[in-house]
Amino acid sequence: MTSRDERIYLDHNASAPLLPEARQAAVAAMALANPSSTHREGRAARAVCETARLAVARLVGGSVDVAPPENVVFTSGATEAATQLLSPRWLVGGEAVDCPRLAVIETDHPATREGGSFAPAAVTRLAVDRDGVVDLDALAEWAGATEAPGLLALSWANSETGVIQPLAAIRDVIAGRPVRLVLDAAQMAGRLPVDLAATGADAVILSGHKMGALKGVGAIVLANLATRPFALLRGGGQERGMRAGTEALPAIASFGAAAEAASRRLEGPQSPPDDRRAWLEQQLAVRLPAATILGRDAERLPNTVAVVHPGLKAETAQIALDLAGVAVSAGSACSSGKVGPSHVVAALATAGVPIDPGLGAIRVSFGFETEKSALERFVREYERLALRAGAKRTRDVAA
């Protein structure tokens, strides 16, 4: 049980707590040599790097158990991976191809939404429906507008609402078109099974700290080495020439340990469905019937709830909850420190969700080990704030 004085952490989508095995792997790797060195010490370091690479490959291997480890390219994080992948210059089947156009989803993380290396005029932001699912008609219009090669980049699961995009339907829309698919799986990996082959993507993006590794490490996993973007960082031959620079071995080792832990958790005995999200949403609906759960009718991550309440500004609620010992988010961690509305909330309001986009949303995201008592405490504190805001709103209207 959590006491009133104990802090609770409900912001796993921003960064999951460091796993003990990831910490141990990082510490053990700190004293190792450069993994590019050919002496015994270098070879020992290289073995640690390749062990981590295999663990990451297994995490996205799906039905074949393991993706080719050589297709895993370690980066400094998901943002670097997205920047490399969102480039007009690709090799397709080993031949250089220019992709003059890019489509992204309006509600996606800024790492993809901002278009990477594409000129702003070349980027199409696809609208979403009331649940935050991409508008397939808009996607079809973009895909069929020209025969020029294109790139479609999307977050598989939205970081703020947890909404999961329908990959099968998306693949059907772009089938037969010269469109490469880049999939940001940073929020999916480690929480739900990821099968690279089944996604139909040319590349997926992973982030270490979203699954309990150190911050500062991510990966690109390619479906085929012959189809990939040109290197973003050039100079050395590290990562098989696809990402120059001495590997951050402690971070990579922690990533491998976290990926291995995630694989064990996902491949273990099937447990009853996780009902904590359903319980949380049911409590909010009963106690605060005016509240809106974003994306409620869509398929979503089992650990994520985004809620808006009339009259309650998310930034204000986040600060008050923090003072009450409850850590939550008012949006993506990459932008929640900025003053201004969430682009996700704004897009859903535009799609017809009856909310004030200026309020923003409170995002609750928890982990496998989060106890129900922590969610109960959030509900109590959030209800108190919402009722106070509602009472003030009523007084203001009466005045």
Side-chain angles (χ1 to χ4, degrees):
M1 297 289 290
T2 56
S3 71
R4 183 63 177 80
D5 296 328
E6 181 184 354
R7 287 193 63 84
I8 61 174
Y9 184 74
L10 301 175
D11 199 16
H12 284 239
N13 285 12
S15 193
L18 182 64
L19 292 173
E21 51 265 61
R23 181 193 300 272
Q24 183 178 1
V27 170
M30 285 180 180
L32 296 179
N34 189 323
S36 294
S37 298
T38 57
H39 44 60
R40 179 185 298 179
E41 290 80 0
R43 294 195 302 274
R46 172 55 55 189
V48 170
C49 187
E50 296 311 310
T51 298
R53 198 184 307 278
L54 179 61
V56 172
R58 281 180 173 150
L59 182 63
V60 299
S63 58
V64 297
D65 188 47
V66 60
E70 62 270 20
N71 291 21
V72 176
V73 182
F74 287 120
T75 67
S76 65
T79 296
E80 183 194 318
T83 302
Q84 180 168 347
L85 288 165
L86 271 61
S87 167
R89 299 183 66 241
W90 273 62
L91 290 172
V92 178
E95 299 291 331
V97 171
D98 286 329
C99 296
R101 59 196 184 114
L102 168 69
V104 297
I105 299 180
E106 182 62 57
T107 53
D108 273 355
H109 191 281
T112 55
R113 183 175 179 265
E114 296 304 316
S117 300
F118 282 84
V123 180
T124 297
R125 289 182 179 172
L126 302 171
V128 295
D129 66 15
R130 290 165 57 98
D131 287 315
V133 175
V134 65
D135 184 332
L136 294 176
D137 290 336
L139 174 58
E141 182 179 353
W142 172 83
T146 173
E147 290 301 318
L151 190 66
L152 171 62
L154 58 93
S155 294
W156 194 353
N158 186 273
S159 62
E160 294 191 31
T161 64
V163 168
I164 297 172
Q165 296 298 332
L167 284 189
I170 289 168
R171 288 198 309 272
D172 287 344
V173 171
I174 64 175
R177 301 285 183 182
V179 175
R180 310 258 64 84
L181 176 59
V182 169
L183 196 58
D184 179 356
Q187 297 293 349
M188 284 283 289
R191 296 181 178 136
L192 291 172
V194 175
D195 184 339
L196 173 60
T199 66
D202 294 284
V204 298
I205 297 168
L206 303 178
S207 175
H209 73 101
K210 303 297 186 184
M211 62 180 75
L214 291 180
K215 299 165 188 67
V217 63
I220 295 169
V221 187
L222 299 166
N224 188 327
L225 281 178
T227 297
R228 57 184 173 81
F230 283 79
L232 176 67
L233 299 180
R234 297 184 295 273
Q238 294 89 350
E239 297 301 293
R240 297 170 179 81
M242 289 181 281
R243 199 270 188 183
T246 300
E247 292 90 347
L249 195 59
I252 289 172
S254 76
F255 193 4
E260 186 175 350
S263 293
R264 287 197 304 268
R265 187 167 56 234
L266 292 171
E267 294 168 2
Q270 292 298 310
S271 59
D274 188 341
D275 65 350
R276 287 173 295 173
R277 192 195 73 192
W279 178 89
L280 174 57
E281 292 177 354
Q282 189 270 341
Q283 289 294 307
L284 290 172
V286 170
R287 299 187 185 206
L288 299 169
T292 299
I293 304 296
L294 301 183
R296 187 163 192 170
D297 293 328
E299 183 183 5
R300 284 175 294 145
L301 293 172
N303 78 318
T304 305
V305 175
V307 58
V308 179
H309 192 278
L312 182 56
K313 195 173 181 63
E315 186 178 6
T316 302
Q318 181 187 27
I319 293 170
L321 287 165
D322 187 35
L323 292 173
V326 182
V328 295
S329 172
S332 168
C334 294
S335 58
S336 60
K338 302 175 184 176
V339 176
S342 160
H343 70 281
V344 176
V345 176
L348 295 180
T350 299
V353 180
I355 52 176
D356 178 357
L359 292 176
I362 284 294
R363 179 189 68 188
V364 177
S365 54
F366 47 89
F368 288 89
E369 74 290 348
T370 302
E371 296 181 356
K372 189 176 178 181
S373 59
L375 301 181
E376 290 172 344
R377 186 164 140 202
F378 163 76
V379 170
R380 291 196 302 271
E381 297 291 350
Y382 186 74
E383 180 186 25
R384 177 178 59 82
L385 295 170
L387 292 178
R388 182 184 301 170
K392 181 180 183 303
R393 189 164 174 257
T394 300
R395 290 195 302 270
D396 290 345
V397 171

